[in-house]
Amino acid sequence: MERTLLLIKPDAVQRGLMGVIISRVEQRGLRMIGMKLMRVSRTLAETHYSIHQGKPFYDKLIGYITSAPVVAIAWQGNRAVAVVRQVLGATDPTAASPGTVRGDYGIDIGRNLTHGSDSIENGQAEVKLWFTADELLDWERIGEEWVFET
Ligand code: DAT
Ligand code: MG
């Protein structure tokens, strides 16, 4: 089944938005299979954002993500990657629709509160990068048949 990585970035943790962000995804019906509050090392930040290396915003992005604790969450479920991206909204909060996390709580692109994996392959890879196998739990939420048709 699809897996995806959600990061609640330092600004969202500092602003007390952990709960509302988790709730939005949880209520959508995805199954949380791993979660941890952690400080991001420079090495992990650079690996995670390697695709953006050399871009003008790269140094600030690494500084931002390593500046204070983040919450990393692995989610599983049908269409998990697209669902989390939809809940988060567009990268630039002023372009994100109202009703999305970024559209409701964000303003600057460099303080956009969250990260969500952007493809099925990256979802698998990012969950592996951020979690060890024994940090991921195999369980079933009750009533998943009322969320997923198959
Ligand atoms: P997303 O986080 O929506 O997947 P992305 O992968 O293109 O967006 O970029 C990663 C992060 O880098 C993004 O959350 C915020 C920052 N960023 C992206 N484009 C930016 C820009 N033009 N100026 C400043 N920061 C930017
Ligand atoms: Mg991205």
Side-chain angles (χ1 to χ4, degrees):
M1 211 183 289
E2 256 180 60
R3 290 180 169 184
T4 194
L5 176 77
L6 169 68
L7 297 179
I8 301 176
K9 290 177 175 175
D11 48 337
V13 173
Q14 295 290 345
R15 292 176 55 196
L17 296 171
M18 288 187 273
V20 294
I21 294 168
I22 292 169
S23 281
R24 287 181 179 210
V25 180
E26 188 183 32
Q27 289 171 356
R28 197 73 190 272
L30 293 181
R31 185 197 312 172
M32 180 189 287
I33 55 168
M35 175 168 73
K36 55 185 171 180
L37 177 73
M38 61 187 288
R39 256 183 195 285
V40 182
S41 68
R42 205 180 162 81
T43 309
L44 177 57
E46 287 177 351
T47 306
H48 176 76
Y49 280 129
S50 58
I51 194 160
H52 297 300
Q53 207 173 352
K55 293 185 184 167
F57 57 84
Y58 177 76
D59 287 344
K60 282 213 264 187
L61 180 59
I62 299 297
Y64 164 48
I65 201 77
T66 57
S67 62
V70 307
V71 178
I73 303 173
W75 299 97
Q76 182 168 301
N78 293 351
R79 309 175 72 190
V81 170
V83 167
V84 169
R85 296 279 292 187
Q86 185 187 38
V87 168
L88 302 186
T91 306
D92 179 349
T94 60
S97 303
T100 65
V101 169
R102 288 161 169 171
D104 287 348
Y105 299 112
I107 295 177
D108 283 357
I109 195 170
R111 296 287 184 271
N112 68 354
L113 304 159
T114 49
H115 163 85
S117 307
D118 65 3
S119 68
I120 293 172
E121 307 75 62
N122 285 340
Q124 296 287 346
E126 290 179 357
V127 168
K128 269 204 183 121
L129 175 65
W130 286 77
F131 290 90
T132 60
D134 65 1
E135 290 172 333
L136 297 172
L137 218 60
D138 190 16
W139 66 294
E140 277 182 31
R141 268 184 82 171
I142 56 162
E144 283 191 342
E145 73 274 26
W146 300 109
V147 178
F148 302 119
E149 191 176 4
T150 51

